[in-house]
Amino acid sequence: MLWLEVIVVLGAIFFGARLGSIGIGYAGGVGVLVLTLGMGLKLGSMPIDVILIIMSVIAAIGAMQVAGGLDYMVSIAEKILRKNPKQITFLAPVVTYVMTFFAGTGHTAFATLPVIAEVAKEQGIRPSRPLSIAVVASQIAITASPISAAVVFVSGALEKQGIGYLELLAVCIPSSFLACMCAAVVANFLGKDLKDDEVYQDRLAKGLVKTRGTTKIEIKPGAKLSVVIFLVAILCVITYATLISGKVGLIKNPVLGRDAAIMLFMFAAATFISAFTRIDTAQVLNSSTFKSGMSACICVLGVAWLGDTFVANHINEIKAFAGDLLNVYPWMLAVVLFFASTLLYSQAATAKALIPSALLLGVSPLTIVASFAAVSALFVLPTYPTLIAAVEMDDTGSTRIGKFVFNHPFIVPGVVAIALSVAFAFVIGGMIL
């Protein structure tokens, strides 16, 4: 029965991946149905806390986007990139990392990818180099964002182990950022130079490569104010979490827990943005960030619920098989998280499905913190939305999927970035925790 259950879990994930988009969430729900009603397993926990955090953050970002805040941030990013165009491979991941860090979602990278591709092309730089590491940085930054659902969940899970919200960020921010910049160095040497690329030369001869120049973005009157309000809300989240968290917490019996506080601060930000910039709140429902965020909620619900249902029913077998192995080789947790995230398509879903089990297995808090970045291996299968967008926006053809599916430009920078992030986190965490 165990192997049949494994087949059901993997089958649901693979079938969902073939459906694409929110299909993996749909299929995850079907998998839970088969495991419970069909095979008699006890129902696992729904990832309600993670979903609610994603919803509240996306609600605020959606309001900011309608107010023009994202366009304003993209215009700043374009100025930075065009001011130092020769350094595009190193500046692109900084831009996408920072935007994801503040927004708590990697989908903000969508808006910057066309600019990155255009600037690289104008400079004769192979666009796949900055695009690949920019996409990877936008994914890894989730594990360092103070308002991402993944960070909030993991920090909550580790609180009983004596590691607070600030300690987690103090390790994850420098380790992930340094890893992304090191991976950018590697990405800068990948692939042929644009002038030597046969695919590019063929597309150029056919007139398929266009140079569009500077993007013309109309900045709305309330754009800057919406960004300021959102950033203030993030500062409030960090300040409040610090006051109630771990070793440095000054508030011992807080009225609001951290999760509830994040949700309420985000709703407050959305309210003030809507009121002061006078946006039509109905337009938020049609914004790209709102749609992608709600899609993420469905994916997390399906796959995390599926994972928890299977793991919760077999935790004793998992302990017997993996407990000693992880104690001897703690880095194996990073490997498990890496491959799990390639299938689960979500940092939050992967963390929700596996981190509690790792704690039950007796894995040390340092190992969990250090391995956390490995939940960001969403680049392995070339089906993730930002990865597909990068391929489509590069009309030079340099950012292309190979014949063997896995041989695409994102693999090497992604693996390097995650491996280095885990290694750096073990070192930094050993000094801080």
Side-chain angles (χ1 to χ4, degrees), residues 14-374:
F14 280 116
F15 183 66
R18 288 179 63 86
L19 291 177
S21 188
I22 60 176
I24 193 168
Y26 295 161
V30 173
V32 175
L33 192 65
V34 173
L35 290 178
T36 52
L37 291 183
M39 300 179 134
L41 268 62
K42 291 182 180 179
L43 187 64
S45 302
M46 287 187 288
I48 296 298
D49 48 353
V50 172
I51 291 172
L52 292 178
I53 291 170
I54 294 174
M55 289 178 66
S56 58
V57 171
I58 289 298
I61 295 175
M64 183 174 68
Q65 181 179 14
V66 173
L70 281 185
D71 286 339
Y72 175 64
M73 292 170 68
V74 170
S75 69
I76 294 175
E78 182 165 9
K79 289 177 182 177
I80 294 171
L81 294 174
R82 289 192 176 280
K83 189 174 181 180
N84 301 279
K86 293 294 184 182
Q87 306 303 319
I88 183 70
T89 306
F90 303 99
L91 291 176
V94 173
V95 167
T96 55
Y97 184 100
V98 170
M99 290 186 70
T100 299
F101 176 86
F102 284 115
T105 171
H107 292 292
T108 53
F110 277 117
T112 61
L113 294 178
V115 177
I116 294 168
E118 195 66 22
V119 173
K121 187 168 53 177
E122 290 172 2
Q123 297 300 315
I125 296 171
R126 186 180 180 88
S128 64
R129 294 169 180 172
L131 283 172
S132 61
I133 187 58
V135 169
V136 168
S138 73
Q139 295 176 357
I140 292 182
I142 288 292
T143 61
S145 171
I147 58 171
S148 77
V151 166
V152 173
F153 173 77
V154 172
S155 65
L158 289 172
E159 270 192 335
K160 294 179 181 178
Q161 309 295 319
I163 296 178
Y165 177 76
L166 278 187
E167 288 90 351
L168 177 63
L169 291 177
V171 175
C172 292
I173 292 173
S175 61
S176 60
F177 183 76
L178 286 173
C180 288
M181 298 315 297
C182 291
V185 176
V186 175
N188 199 42
F189 293 97
L190 295 177
K192 296 180 180 178
D193 289 339
L194 203 55
K195 60 183 176 60
D196 300 322
D197 190 298
E198 298 86 354
V199 174
Y200 167 69
Q201 293 299 333
D202 181 62
R203 293 181 63 83
L204 188 63
K206 292 178 180 178
L208 298 176
V209 181
K210 307 292 183 183
T211 301
R212 300 172 182 83
T214 304
T215 306
K216 295 181 179 178
I217 301 176
E218 182 182 349
I219 306 301
K220 297 180 180 179
K224 295 181 182 179
L225 179 59
S226 69
V227 173
V228 171
I229 293 173
F230 187 77
L231 292 180
V232 169
I234 293 175
L235 290 175
C236 290
V237 167
I238 296 173
T239 302
Y240 185 80
T242 302
L243 291 174
I244 67 171
S245 177
K247 303 169 185 176
V248 297
L250 299 178
I251 302 175
K252 300 304 179 186
N253 296 299
V255 176
L256 293 175
R258 183 179 52 254
D259 292 7
I262 290 175
M263 296 174 206
L264 294 177
F265 279 126
M266 289 296 106
F267 276 131
T271 301
F272 293 138
I273 290 172
S274 301
F276 293 132
T277 64
R278 299 182 180 180
I279 63 171
D280 179 3
T281 53
Q283 293 182 16
V284 175
L285 302 177
N286 294 317
S287 67
S288 60
T289 52
F290 188 86
K291 290 178 180 179
S292 64
M294 294 308 107
S295 172
C297 287
I298 294 175
C299 292
V300 169
L301 175 60
V303 296
W305 201 0
L306 175 66
D308 190 83
T309 297
F310 176 78
V311 171
N313 282 271
H314 295 288
I315 189 62
N316 291 329
E317 294 97 319
I318 294 172
K319 278 184 179 180
F321 175 76
D324 293 338
L325 182 66
L326 288 174
N327 285 326
V328 176
Y329 304 106
W331 52 268
M332 284 294 294
L333 177 61
V335 176
V336 172
L337 294 175
F338 181 96
F339 285 106
S341 63
T342 65
L343 299 175
L344 299 181
Y345 275 30
S346 165
Q347 294 93 333
T350 305
K352 178 72 175 178
L354 297 175
I355 295 298
S357 302
L359 286 170
L360 288 174
L361 291 171
V363 176
S364 72
L366 172 59
T367 298
I368 290 175
V369 172
S371 303
F372 181 33

